[in-house]
Amino acid sequence: MKVMIMGMDGYLGWTLGMYLADKGHEVSGIDNMLRRKMVAEIGSQSITPIKSMEERLDAYKKASGNDLTFYKGDLTESAFVNLAVKKEEPDCIVQLGQIPAAPYSMIDVEHCNFTQVNNIIGHNNILFAIKDNVPDCHLLKLGTMGEYGTPNLDIPEGFFEIEYRGRKDKLPFPRQPGSWYHLTKVHDTWNLMFANKIWGIRATDVMQGVVHGLNTPQMVNEDLLTRYDADEVFGTAINRFCAQAVVGHDLTPYGKGGQTRGYLALRDSMQCFTIAIENPPKEGEYRVFNQFDETYSVNDLAERVSKVAQEYGLEGKIWNIPNPRLEAEEHYYEPDMEHLPNLGFKPTNSLEDELHITIPKLMEYKDRIEAMRHTIDPKIKWTA
Ligand code: USQ
């Protein structure tokens, strides 16, 4: 299959390019290298020493014999997106080319607006490029479990049956996003559903949980590693806790630590994307997949990371710090996940097994964590 990855330089995008090419897909990708610039802007760096895109492509070719085609450019430029899609004629476009960080969008009005324009306009340009050039193409869109927020109800996969004043309907489940970033994903959902309605674009909207880890079968040498962030802006919960443990920083659940989310390992995220790509929606179908391995509270995660860290002689001290975010710290959380297991998805490892891979790998880069350590403690606040 011809697959085009938007955001091919990112944590997920680089990993997915190699993963799909190894499975025999013909892979191309786009990136404007924005993530590297944003991480530099906040004074941090990837803990893994990632190579330039040119070096990555060469290294992967040497290791696997496979070619990846790369276009450097900005998804917010509609003419560029149109041209690239027209040239490649992909069977599937995977949209990972967005700013993924809630804290970045909460810095100030400029960062909020930049995140919203970048994410929403880039996505719209892809919708129009599909309609104009490859109307049968499958769009695999990365959404987030955070679109639903933390309702006091079970969370279905996108839609639910509701009875109101004696009448019944199947409607989109309410969205209650928790940051300007999460709001962009909600806007994308509505734009995608509308494009599906008027043009029949076939689409999978993936509501993905928080991804962690650093290991897929393709990362056989240092040149092929994907990026790994642990700063307060781009680092996410498990990845931050593992990096914190390696340099003897306290593990930092925010507030009471009862915040519960779905989490999944990087290699399982790749497995899920591949299943969705290889089992496309029917003509004109819009479907929603919730995507995670397990749900955990941040306190539970910190304890699990601490336990494994201690096996490597690390202290793994946990210290609940004041929560910089406005979010429920104790709540009900029961999301469904049936579509992907029905198509064959099975988590590869237990969380503990993954931690036994991630923590020793990060220990190799202890100096690089020390160098970004000043960006670990949260300074960006949700409330004024
Ligand atoms: N948290 C801590 N301590 C930390 C860091 C985070 O307690 O040191 C807490 C947060 O307050 C939050 C939870 O952990 O309650 C998850 O935060 P996160 O930073 O790991 O993830 P989040 O901001 O939700 O965003 C990440 C990705 C985003 C994706 C989302 C999926 O950056 O791209 O959409 O996970 S989800 O969380 O399901 O919305």
Side-chain angles (χ1 to χ4, degrees):
M1 228 180 247
K2 289 187 80 172
V3 185
M4 186 168 212
I5 299 171
M6 306 308 197
M8 198 164 81
D9 189 51
Y11 177 55
L12 301 176
W14 175 244
T15 312
L16 185 63
M18 296 189 290
Y19 194 90
L20 289 175
D22 263 27
K23 292 203 172 300
H25 295 290
E26 196 180 320
V27 179
S28 62
I30 289 182
D31 209 296
N32 62 353
M33 321 312 275
L34 175 64
R35 172 65 169 270
R36 296 182 187 229
K37 288 181 212 138
M38 291 186 298
V39 172
E41 176 198 336
I42 60 148
S44 192
Q45 64 176 6
S46 166
I47 289 168
T48 45
I50 53 172
K51 300 292 173 191
S52 70
M53 181 53 82
E54 292 70 26
E55 289 167 328
R56 285 181 147 182
L57 296 174
D58 282 352
Y60 178 59
K61 170 89 180 168
K62 264 197 211 107
S64 68
N66 296 328
D67 284 306
L68 302 173
T69 305
F70 179 68
Y71 299 87
K72 186 170 177 199
D74 191 334
L75 294 175
T76 63
E77 289 171 16
S78 56
F80 163 71
V81 178
N82 190 63
L83 210 67
V85 170
K86 191 173 180 171
K87 183 154 186 296
E88 285 299 320
E89 297 189 321
D91 303 303
C92 179
I93 291 178
V94 188
Q95 163 55 331
L96 307 173
Q98 296 186 311
I99 296 172
Y104 190 81
S105 73
M106 301 299 291
I107 294 176
D108 57 17
V109 62
E110 279 76 27
H111 290 81
C112 165
N113 289 348
F114 182 55
T115 303
Q116 296 220 336
V117 170
N118 184 76
N119 288 6
I120 297 167
I121 303 302
H123 181 233
N124 283 357
N125 287 340
I126 295 168
L127 295 174
F128 276 80
I130 291 176
K131 188 259 293 178
D132 290 339
N133 301 291
V134 280
D136 202 34
C137 176
H138 167 204
L139 176 59
L140 179 59
K141 164 76 177 75
L142 183 68
T144 167
M145 285 299 294
E147 288 191 30
Y148 305 120
T150 52
N152 197 27
L153 295 174
D154 291 359
I155 300 175
E157 298 192 79
F159 294 87
F160 74 146
E161 305 271 351
I162 180 156
E163 186 171 344
Y164 180 64
R165 295 185 178 164
R167 300 186 67 81
K168 283 190 188 161
D169 206 348
K170 190 174 179 198
L171 293 175
F173 192 73
R175 267 50 177 180
Q176 302 186 79
S179 74
W180 297 117
Y181 150 74
H182 285 94
L183 272 153
T184 68
K185 297 288 195 176
V186 176
H187 294 311
D188 287 345
T189 291
W190 303 134
N191 288 342
L192 179 53
M193 283 172 63
F194 186 66
N196 166 266
K197 185 160 107 183
I198 56 173
W199 301 326
I201 289 183
R202 65 172 87 205
T204 310
D205 212 346
V206 176
M207 303 298 158
Q208 183 163 260
V210 189
V211 183
H212 63 94
L214 186 56
N215 191 38
T216 62
Q218 288 70 41
M219 294 187 204
V220 289
N221 64 52
E222 191 175 84
D223 293 349
L224 296 176
L225 289 177
T226 195
R227 62 174 312 112
Y228 188 105
D229 297 291
D231 57 82
E232 66 154 322
V233 180
F234 293 96
T236 51
I238 301 183
N239 284 355
R240 276 169 60 75
F241 294 163
C242 290
Q244 288 168 343
V246 168
V247 291
H249 188 290
D250 297 338
L251 278 53
T252 58
Y254 295 158
K256 290 183 187 153
Q259 302 92 303
T260 303
R261 304 285 184 269
Y263 290 85
L264 80 165
L266 183 60
R267 61 170 77 187
D268 287 336
S269 169
M270 299 302 118
Q271 190 197 150
C272 289
F273 289 147
T274 305
I275 288 173
I277 292 165
E278 293 176 352
N279 298 275
K282 295 191 279 293
E283 199 181 329
E285 185 187 2
Y286 168 80
R287 61 185 186 180
V288 181
F289 289 178
N290 293 348
Q291 183 167 311
F292 54 88
D293 288 335
E294 285 290 339
T295 62
Y296 303 96
S297 73
V298 282
N299 278 343
D300 190 15
L301 283 182
E303 272 160 30
R304 285 160 186 262
V305 172
S306 173
K307 192 165 157 274
V308 176
Q310 285 170 27
E311 291 176 31
Y312 294 95
L314 303 166
E315 192 185 353
K317 188 168 149 235
I318 301 170
W319 189 256
N320 288 58
I321 59 173
N323 195 341
R325 306 183 182 200
L326 190 68
E327 60 184 355
E329 294 179 2
E330 283 167 322
H331 59 89
Y332 181 78
Y333 199 66
E334 274 304 324
D336 291 348
M337 195 187 55
E338 283 163 12
H339 296 326
L340 279 161
N342 287 345
L343 289 170
F345 168 63
K346 282 196 192 73
T348 314
N349 279 332
S350 66
L351 175 60
E352 275 68 20
D353 288 344
E354 275 299 311
L355 294 174
H356 281 97
I357 298 169
T358 306
I359 292 174
K361 189 82 201 156
L362 291 183
M363 288 169 78
E364 293 174 29
Y365 299 111
K366 188 173 174 205
D367 291 353
R368 292 182 62 87
I369 307 177
E370 289 290 1
M372 54 70 66
R373 186 186 182 116
H374 62 287
T375 64
I376 289 181
D377 288 333
K379 293 164 207 77
I380 300 163
K381 296 200 167 54
W382 262 228
T383 49

